[in-house]
Amino acid sequence: MNICDTTCTRCCTKCNQHLAKVAAKLSLNTAEIALLQKPKRVLTFTIPLRKDSGEMAFYNGYRVQYNDALGPTKGGIRFHQHVDLEEVSTLAFLMALKCSLADLPFGGAKGGIEIDPYTLSKNELERLSRGYIRETSNFIGPAIDIPAPDVNTNEQIMAWMVDEYSKIKGQFTPAVITGKPLEMGGSKGRVVATALGGCFIVKELSKLKGWEAEKIKVVVQGFGNVGSNIAKILHEWGYQIVAISDEKSAFYNPNGLDIKNIIHSQVNKGFLPDEIEGAEKISNTELLELNCDILIPAAVCCQINQKNAEKIKAKVVLEMANDPTDAIADEILFQRGIEVVPDILANSGGVIVSYFEWAQNSGNDYWTEEKVFKKLEEKITKAFENVWEKRQQENCSLRLASHILAVERIIVAEKLRGNL
Ligand code: NAD
């Protein structure tokens, strides 16, 4: 199995290691472990696509509903040339944990198509997206399984997918998919939800540690949707963002960067500028090892690994990317007393607001951005408090505490349903 944004074969082992640790801590029995080790339902299919040239091409598609004990399953659809069943299954398992930890009435799912979407024209991409829905329309639904965007899929693709599903069912059904454009039933606040969720956790951590924002130095790796928004919001809240990076460059100013200005200069260019006034150009390797209070990996997987774990100087690592810390590094950071807020908690703001979108669609009642943000803060703060308390009780890492809470809820629901 593979839980990365890019291809990496270590993740299956890592997931199994996490499960093994939780199983040991909770003394799970054989049936409970067996239930968690396998997805509940798997759909694999081939999507025919007529290319603009008139030729036909065929692509592998997947949808995995890992566990639905807590409710209809929820999880994104990714388009990537390395998507396979193993990767989709692992990601679906992690979605089950993430939804459970956030106390959402959802199980976990994931889907994908094995395709490099950048090789397609816009019309081909639309036909392929609609094709995915034609193959899955009897497998998904607002009370069954609710997809969303993931790697290389976006609002436009979700709009085509909802339209296709609605045509097949003969009625507009916005609650079948989240991450839609506002005009098609999307939620206000979804774009910044993941980053804002992470900021609420920083706020709680700061309270617990007695930190004053102005004295806290933050390093952010990755300057896309999540990285740029978390840097922007924390900067607005008074935190010092001392370093940022993207896949091309990294910049450091120990006195703090002017994030608003940088975002302004980045608009429409996609990448960070060649130079930032007052900032030193450094490497991404150096960035991760900088002296700071909070290190925020918000790019791709496995950035903190056994090569650099001993050199990380941050007091807290806030995992906004999925799986940025490998298993060995995770253990090293724990032994060194560095607090790691795990991805399934740190970046759960996105799925929490997806839940709000589904609830708004289901009730046909649309909320203000203020209401979305208030409810997001309540949900993610509660999840953080629960994890913090569990960590104190169990004397373990925040990651293990998160996994214990998530698995406990799923096991209770499975028992209530009579499946265990
Ligand atoms: P994005 O594509 O908008 O941005 C990714 C950023 O990372 C870009 O700035 C890119 O240049 C940079 N990057 C890529 N490789 C890098 C490297 N080796 N070093 C430094 N920078 C690098 O993606 P995003 O939506 O911001 O997502 C970032 C991470 O957060 C991913 O791991 C994603 O799975 C996770 N995540 C995102 C959401 C969401 O709502 N967008 C929700 C949950 C988790």
Side-chain angles (χ1 to χ4, degrees):
M1 286 199 286
N2 179 347
I3 53 172
C4 300
D5 296 326
T6 52
T7 298
C8 151
T9 49
R10 281 168 298 150
C11 299
C12 171
T13 325
K14 184 173 167 182
C15 250
N16 287 336
Q17 283 169 350
H18 289 325
L19 192 53
K21 278 190 188 174
V22 179
K25 202 84 182 170
L26 291 176
S27 307
L28 295 183
N29 64 34
T30 318
E32 289 163 343
I33 294 171
L35 189 141
L36 292 170
Q37 262 174 344
K38 277 202 290 193
K40 178 150 189 188
R41 284 182 223 101
V42 172
L43 185 67
T44 65
F45 46 92
T46 304
I47 311 172
L49 173 71
R50 187 168 301 280
K51 303 292 277 290
D52 293 344
S53 64
E55 280 170 43
M56 290 304 294
F58 300 88
Y59 297 101
N60 295 325
Y62 307 94
R63 187 73 191 166
V64 173
Q65 296 164 1
Y66 201 95
N67 185 283
D68 63 358
L70 293 169
T73 51
K74 181 96 196 74
I77 300 171
R78 61 174 54 186
F79 289 178
H80 195 277
Q81 59 275 26
H82 297 309
V83 161
D84 61 21
L85 184 57
E86 208 173 12
E87 174 185 76
V88 175
S89 298
T90 310
L91 290 163
F93 171 64
L94 290 179
M95 280 308 295
L97 297 187
K98 196 183 282 190
C99 292
S100 171
L101 185 65
D103 200 16
L104 304 181
F106 287 144
K110 207 79 176 188
I113 304 179
E114 188 187 339
I115 173 74
D116 175 358
Y118 297 104
T119 60
L120 300 179
S121 70
K122 191 175 176 201
N123 286 336
E124 289 168 342
L125 189 61
E126 177 177 349
R127 289 197 288 276
L128 187 69
S129 306
R130 290 181 183 277
Y132 184 90
I133 293 301
R134 282 196 296 279
E135 298 302 330
T136 56
S137 64
N138 286 328
F139 198 64
I140 61 172
I144 305 168
D145 178 16
I146 305 120
D150 195 77
V151 173
N152 292 334
T153 54
N154 54 27
E155 280 190 357
Q156 173 61 78
I157 291 174
M158 298 306 112
W160 290 325
M161 288 182 164
V162 167
D163 182 68
E164 190 65 25
Y165 184 87
S166 300
K167 281 182 173 134
I168 292 168
K169 300 294 172 188
Q171 54 185 349
F172 182 47
T173 317
V176 68
I177 280 173
T178 61
K180 302 178 292 295
L182 276 178
E183 297 74 9
M184 287 195 58
S187 177
K188 293 207 167 108
R190 174 62 188 90
V191 176
V192 296
T194 305
L196 184 61
C199 294
F200 288 138
I201 289 179
V202 169
K203 188 171 154 188
E204 291 311 303
L205 269 169
S206 299
K207 276 190 223 157
L208 284 163
K209 292 183 181 293
W211 284 349
E212 288 168 44
E214 295 69 26
K215 294 187 185 150
I216 298 303
K217 293 185 186 297
V218 181
V219 168
V220 182
Q221 185 200 38
F223 212 66
N225 173 298
V226 176
S228 66
N229 277 309
I230 202 163
K232 178 170 172 273
I233 300 166
L234 289 178
H235 178 69
E236 284 166 3
W237 288 4
Y239 290 84
Q240 285 184 53
I241 313 298
V242 294
I244 54 171
S245 70
D246 65 12
E247 61 197 272
K248 291 200 172 164
S249 40
F251 295 93
Y252 175 52
N253 180 343
N255 300 316
L257 295 158
D258 184 349
I259 298 298
K260 205 171 158 194
N261 225 347
I262 295 167
I263 290 177
H264 186 67
S265 68
Q266 194 208 17
V267 170
N268 297 332
K269 295 195 185 121
F271 291 103
L272 286 169
D274 292 336
E275 280 180 28
I276 292 177
E277 208 189 317
E280 181 193 341
K281 227 171 171 174
I282 57 170
S283 68
N284 249 303
T285 311
E286 289 168 316
L287 173 130
L288 293 169
E289 296 166 12
L290 284 171
N291 220 333
C292 64
D293 299 289
I294 308 176
L295 171 62
I296 305 184
V300 286
C301 79
C302 305
Q303 294 300 295
I304 305 174
N305 46 52
Q306 51 181 318
K307 283 193 204 141
N308 61 10
E310 291 287 1
K311 298 181 199 153
I312 302 293
K313 297 181 196 73
K315 298 187 181 81
V316 168
V317 175
L318 182 73
E319 291 188 338
M320 296 307 292
N322 279 322
D323 197 37
T325 312
D326 82 14
I328 296 174
D330 198 40
E331 189 55 37
I332 295 172
L333 296 183
F334 180 63
Q335 295 303 337
R336 291 184 55 217
I338 296 174
E339 207 98 70
V340 179
V341 183
D343 47 7
I344 64 162
L345 174 62
N347 69 30
S348 63
V351 74
I352 292 174
V353 173
S354 280
Y355 159 57
F356 296 160
E357 182 176 334
W358 173 84
Q360 290 170 73
N361 297 149
S362 304
N364 209 6
D365 172 28
Y366 289 87
W367 306 351
T368 60
E369 189 173 78
E370 200 185 2
K371 179 169 173 181
V372 170
F373 290 164
K374 185 168 172 284
K375 289 179 87 71
L376 169 62
E377 180 166 15
E378 279 165 18
K379 267 264 177 245
I380 204 159
T381 302
K382 186 73 202 149
F384 175 78
E385 285 169 358
N386 290 340
V387 170
W388 194 264
E389 195 184 319
K390 187 59 112 183
R391 194 276 294 270
Q392 309 294 87
Q393 279 168 11
E394 299 288 342
N395 192 23
C396 64
S397 67
L398 292 172
R399 190 185 312 279
L400 184 53
S402 301
H403 290 166
I404 290 172
L405 281 170
V407 167
E408 269 177 347
R409 287 202 184 112
I410 293 171
I411 295 287
V412 168
E414 292 286 13
K415 283 184 179 159
L416 287 166
R417 284 170 180 269
N419 293 335
L420 283 171

